[in-house]
């Protein structure tokens, strides 16, 4: 699926030097390396503020808490994402409300959100939290239209979308705030856990910086209850080195996606979608959006059998995500049932992520496509 050593090898000297520098200073928490990385990251994304923090999960919580979304608020999000997209809403004290996905992109569908908004009772909806799933921006034109009509806040879960764009604007500066993750498998990755919130709002940025260290502006004087959600200097130093390369890696991802596309078409395996019939449905790049290609995810009917078949041939694959959020054991209390979000449920049965990382070789891609072709024949 992913061989991180191929990224590490050519960067070894540079990374060891950066780590060595932090060790020499013995300044580990929110030091100068954090500030330097934040400045460089904000510049690359074209956003006013970048606030480093301890994980993508904490970035989501910070973005919500910073925007004042807590007790008595509801937040609309997608049932088809990583668990943190919804658990962060609960952790902030708000109530999650779900709306179904668009089967073509697997992202939260603005039309479904509008329907939910018309019918929602209970705590007032204060924000929408779309996820840029697999590295492709959610339909931001649709969400902007809802914001214009309703005044709701838009918070991006951009954990998978470093470098993605919607009509020329980078993920991270589309919404009121955005959350990034630098988990080791993400497009820009730390050597452990790390995350970041971005925003163009000066006051919000200031509040995020306070919230990430126990609501403390002056040492041991606490203005409000925050949390320990800090980024440490070692991770920041490593991320700052990798920041120079991530655009190049994303270009390599784009070329690999194009190549998978061509190979699957040449093999005659492609259904036109959005649902698979006899072959596979390929991931689709929306017009006007620039996909960051975090994952290359196909849809196929006998998904579990294909996964087993690939595994027997030594080919890795992964399911993001096998259980939609409304059917998770931990979220039974939300009161949703099977059948509530048919597109998310169907996607959870059909999606399969194929081996995909910038250093993936041609022969490896060919072997994957040949194996899928054998399975389907
Ligand atoms: C990875 C991820 C997160 C959480 O990030 P962590 O750094 O692992 O806490 C949140 N949302 C999505 C969509 C993710 O892929």
């Amino acid at each position: 699926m992913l061989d991180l050593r191929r990224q590490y090898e050519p960067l070894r000297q540079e990374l060891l030097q950066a780590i060595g520098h932090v060790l020499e200073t013995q300044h580990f928490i929110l030091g100068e390396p954090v500030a330097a990385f934040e400045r460089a990251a904000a510049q690359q994304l074209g956003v006013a503020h970048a606030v480093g923090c301890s994980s993508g999960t904490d970035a989501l919580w910070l973005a919500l808490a910073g925007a004042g979304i807590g007790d008595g608020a509801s937040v609309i999000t997608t049932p088809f994402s990583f668990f943190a997209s919804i658990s962060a809403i609960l952790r902030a004290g708000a109530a999650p409300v779900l709306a179904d996905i668009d089967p073509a992109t697997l992202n939260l569908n603005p039309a479904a959100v509008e329907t939910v908004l018309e019918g929602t009772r209970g705590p007032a909806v204060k924000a929408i939290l779309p996820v840029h799933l697999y590295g492709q921006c959610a339909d931001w034109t649709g969400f902007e239209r809802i914001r214009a009509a309703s005044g709701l806040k838009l918070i991006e879960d951009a954990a998978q979308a470093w470098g993605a764009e919607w009509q020329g604007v980078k993920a991270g500066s589309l919404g009121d705030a955005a959350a990034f993750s630098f988990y080791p498998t993400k497009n820009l990755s730390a050597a452990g856990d790390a995350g970041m919130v971005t925003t163009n709002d000066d006051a919000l940025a200031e509040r995020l910086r306070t919230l990430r260290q126990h609501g403390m502006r002056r040492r041991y004087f606490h203005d409000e209850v925050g949390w320990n959600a800090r980024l440490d200097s070692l991770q920041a130093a490593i991320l700052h080195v990798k920041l120079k390369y991530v655009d190049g890696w994303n270009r390599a991802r784009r070329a690999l996606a194009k190549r998978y596309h061509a190979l699957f078409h040449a093999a005659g395996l492609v259904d036109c979608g959005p649902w698979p019939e006899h072959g596979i449905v390929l991931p689709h790049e929306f017009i006007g959006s620039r996909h960051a290609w975090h994952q290359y995810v196909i849809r196929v009917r006998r998904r579990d059998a294909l996964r087993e078949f690939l595994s027997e041939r030594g080919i890795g694959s992964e399911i993001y995500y096998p259980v939609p959020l409304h059917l998770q054991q931990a979220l039974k209390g939300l009161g949703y049932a099977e059948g509530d979000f048919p597109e998310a449920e169907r996607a959870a049965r059909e999606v399969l992520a194929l081996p995909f990382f910038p250093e993936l070789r041609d022969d490896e891609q060919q072997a994957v496509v040949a194996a899928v072709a054998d399975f389907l024949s």
Side-chain angles (χ1 to χ4, degrees), residues 68-255:
I69 294 156
D71 291 344
S74 295
V75 179
I76 300 179
T77 192
T78 168
F80 194 58
S81 181
F82 179 59
F83 190 68
S85 305
I86 195 165
S87 64
I89 296 170
L90 289 160
R91 189 56 80 195
V97 176
L98 299 174
D100 211 353
I101 57 171
D102 173 348
T105 61
L106 309 184
N107 276 323
L108 183 63
N109 186 345
V113 170
E114 278 167 336
T115 306
V116 165
L117 277 171
E118 284 158 17
T120 302
R121 281 179 292 266
V125 177
K126 292 278 170 54
I128 307 172
L129 197 159
V131 179
H132 304 321
L133 196 69
Y134 308 145
Q136 172 152 254
C137 288
D139 174 359
W140 218 258
T141 308
F143 292 115
E144 289 282 9
R145 190 180 59 232
I146 297 174
R147 167 157 62 186
S150 64
L152 294 183
K153 291 210 153 68
L154 298 179
I155 313 268
E156 303 168 65
D157 183 340
Q160 304 184 358
W162 189 278
E165 291 176 16
W166 183 262
Q167 294 177 348
V169 180
K170 283 216 164 72
S173 64
L174 292 165
D176 295 283
F180 287 95
S181 165
F182 305 124
Y183 183 77
T185 62
K186 303 285 159 85
N187 286 29
L188 175 61
S189 63
D193 279 310
M196 170 174 276
V197 189
T198 56
T199 181
N200 286 310
D201 180 330
D202 299 347
L204 175 57
E206 177 66 23
R207 188 163 185 211
L208 295 169
R209 291 182 190 286
T210 310
L211 281 171
R212 75 174 165 181
Q213 45 178 348
H214 288 297
M216 186 169 76
R217 223 177 302 253
R218 235 173 101 203
R219 213 168 175 74
Y220 306 126
F221 289 77
H222 300 269
D223 303 339
E224 61 179 323
V225 179
W227 202 244
N228 172 4
R230 298 176 301 234
L231 176 61
D232 67 62
S233 300
L234 280 170
Q235 296 303 347
I238 288 165
L239 287 163
H240 201 163
V241 168
K242 291 193 181 185
L243 193 63
K244 294 199 293 270
Y245 300 99
V246 66
D247 277 347
W249 293 330
N250 279 356
R251 278 194 295 277
R253 288 174 184 274
R254 167 166 295 274

